[in-house]
């Protein structure tokens, strides 16, 4: 299996090289050169077994079947629920897929627990070391840290905006006791943190000297690992041969919903993909107007979706352009300068209308949904999941089977849940003492030279 860039100007890479590269050298994102066909499997098989079978055709012969199986087993043993991604019925034709039973209580664990182990396996085999640098506005940082904290060949530096993430989110990063993990509180915003990371990557000498790598949501292995639960959810429901099942996905960077599109493309029995957004609704507006126009980010009750540029959309755009990298690169460049991107009615009719639906939920609708789901079903859901439930209700017919992805544990966003229901959800036992654990972090100014000095001091190549 080879991987090609969505902008058509980078060399094709193997799976393992794609894993380590993150972004392509032409600025594009890697996609497989062909979409393999993947069969639905045994609903009684363990999640890790299904994961290895579903991922294998995308990985090719670079990682042995037995090794891939062992990596998956190890990754998913870290989940508190033996099913890893269990379904919960929420009334007629409606289900939640609980993706928050991993170590850091958000769906990102499903991918990052495996990606950390893949990194370690590939780097050990090659005798190499890397420095992972990332910026986080909350959930990605803790999931990435937990995924790589036991990797011997990775040093990790995560930047977060000082005072702008929740205490639970910060403590999930700063209380991790691992010598290879470093958190930095930057005196600035999330965008400042992201700009610092981009600047380090654009400094070719620095990037090479410290073997920088990324685990942000444009990393192909993350998108790929997320395709697994779309298959297993349909199998758990015994809906493999019945009318297709639709999914409602609370969306920020278009990563999770793109994974659903890939699962559908490779053979999962999926009907519609319903995209739920909060007030940051660039995708919902695109589905309404066939035009993508950038807007300013506004803070909401579902902060992990407070994103206005959905980077992973470029992978779908590449398909919509019939895999023409030059056309795709052109469109993205124009979007960057003009803030607008339009597709043709033919492209919209072929790729978007038959598959995607979109709904935007305001914060007050989000709170109403949290309260109503608790009243009617006795279940507490977090504000991101509530956006997904609202979108399922707005976009699906009564006779359509819909699974909403529950992307975070309610205790991770306890303030919003308490505001809606009067009940404060409790952290699971393994995090019960989170608020009293000692923290370790470094405060730095929003200054590239200072951050680079810090990274150089802790880098994997020092
Ligand atoms: C990251 C995140 C999302 C958005 O996922 P994308 O892949 O960026 O669309 C939704 N909900 C939660 C809880 C998250 O952490």
């Amino acid at each position: 299996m080879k991987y090609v860039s969505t902008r058509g100007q980078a060399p094709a890479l193997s799976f393992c090289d794609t894993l380590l590269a993150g972004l392509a050298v032409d600025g594009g994102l890697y996609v497989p050169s062909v979409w393999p066909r993947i069969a639905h499997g045994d609903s009684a098989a363990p999640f890790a077994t299904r994961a290895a079978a579903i991922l294998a055709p995308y990985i090719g012969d670079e990682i042995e079947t037995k090794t891939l199986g062992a990596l998956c087993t190890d990754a998913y043993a870290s989940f508190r629920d033996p099913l890893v991604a269990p379904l919960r019925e929420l009334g007629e034709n409606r289900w939640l897929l609980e993706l928050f039973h991993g170590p850091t209580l958000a769906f990102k664990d499903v991918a990052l627990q495996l990606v950390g182990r893949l990194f370690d396996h590939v780097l050990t085999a090659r005798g190499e070391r890397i420095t992972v640098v990332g910026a986080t506005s909350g959930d990605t940082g803790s999931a990435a840290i937990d995924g790589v904290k036991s990797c011997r060949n990775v040093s990790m530096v995560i930047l977060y905006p000082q005072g702008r993430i929740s205490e639970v989110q910060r403590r999930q990063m700063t209380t991790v006791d691992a010598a290879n993990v470093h958190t930095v509180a930057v005196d600035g915003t999330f965008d400042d943190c992201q700009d610092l990371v981009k600047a380090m990557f654009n400094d070719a000498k620095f990037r090479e000297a410290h073997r920088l790598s990324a685990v942000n949501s444009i990393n192909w292995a993350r998108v790929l690992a997320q395709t697994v639960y779309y298959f297993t959810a349909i199998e758990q429901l015994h809906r493999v041969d019945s009318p297709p099942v639709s999914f409602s996905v609370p969306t920020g960077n278009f990563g999770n919903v793109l994974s659903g599109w890939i699962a559908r493309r490779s053979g999962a029995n999926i009907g519609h993909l319903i995209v739920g957004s909060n007030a940051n609704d660039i995708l919902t507006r695109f589905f309404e107007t066939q035009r993508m126009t950038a807007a300013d980010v506004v803070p909401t009750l579902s902060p992990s979706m407070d994103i206005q540029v959905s980077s992973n959309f470029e992978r779908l755009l590449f398909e919509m352009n019939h895999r023409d990298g030059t056309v795709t690169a052109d469109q993205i460049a124009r979007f960057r300068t003009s803030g607008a991107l339009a597709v043709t009615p033919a492209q919209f009719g072929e790729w978007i209308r038959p598959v995607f639906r979109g709904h935007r939920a305001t914060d007050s609708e989000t709170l109403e949904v949290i309260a109503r789901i608790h009243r009617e079903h006795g279940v507490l859901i977090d504000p991101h999941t509530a956006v997904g439930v609202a979108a399922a209700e707005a976009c699906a017919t009564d006779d359509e089977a819909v699974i909403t992805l529950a992307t975070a544990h309610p205790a991770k966003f306890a303030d919003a849940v308490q505001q809606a229901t009067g009940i404060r959800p409790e952290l699971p036992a393994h995090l019960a003492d989170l608020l009293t654990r000692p923290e370790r972090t470094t405060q730095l100014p929003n200054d590239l030279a200072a951050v680079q000095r810090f990274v150089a001091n802790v880098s994997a190549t020092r």
Side-chain angles (χ1 to χ4, degrees), residues 146-196:
D146 208 280
V148 308
K149 68 182 181 199
S150 47
C151 296
R152 282 153 298 169
N153 301 307
V154 179
S155 280
M156 178 169 231
V157 179
I158 296 287
L159 312 184
Y160 64 90
Q162 162 95 26
R164 290 172 197 251
I165 63 175
S166 79
E167 185 176 12
V168 169
Q169 287 177 322
R170 185 190 73 238
R171 284 183 161 273
Q172 281 187 306
M173 298 193 285
T174 57
T175 62
V176 171
D177 186 21
N180 63 331
V181 168
H182 307 273
T183 59
V184 175
V186 174
D187 185 12
T189 64
F190 170 60
D191 286 336
D192 294 331
C193 295
Q194 248 183 334
D195 288 346
L196 288 165

Side-chain angles (χ1 to χ4, degrees), residues 106-108 139 250-256 304-305 384 407-408:
F107 87 96
K108 294 181 174 74
D139 292 342
T251 303
N253 224 337
F254 203 71
N256 205 358
S304 301
M305 294 155 58
H384 303 79
T407 51

Side-chain angles (χ1 to χ4, degrees), residues 171 175 427-438:
R171 284 183 161 273
T175 62
L427 287 166
H430 78 287
L431 291 172
D433 65 343
L434 184 69
L435 298 182
T436 57
R437 287 181 200 166

Side-chain angles (χ1 to χ4, degrees), residues 4-10 26 318 324-326 329:
V4 297
S5 164
T6 51
R7 301 194 190 170
Q9 301 295 317
D26 60 3
F318 180 64
D324 187 326
T326 312

Side-chain angles (χ1 to χ4, degrees), residues 10-86:
L13 297 182
S14 70
F15 174 81
C16 292
D17 287 326
T18 302
L19 170 78
L20 297 181
L23 207 64
V25 287
D26 60 3
L29 310 187
Y30 276 107
V31 290
S33 56
V34 291
W35 295 107
R37 188 92 197 145
I38 293 170
H40 270 295
D42 177 6
S43 63
F47 186 88
T49 308
R50 290 295 297 128
I54 292 163
L55 303 178
Y58 281 101
I59 293 175
D61 54 13
E62 266 202 307
I63 299 179
E64 271 184 58
T65 311
K66 234 179 96 185
T67 308
L68 181 61
L71 291 171
C72 289
T73 300
D74 191 42
Y76 297 117
S78 67
F79 280 59
R80 296 181 308 285
D81 190 301
L83 287 176
V84 180

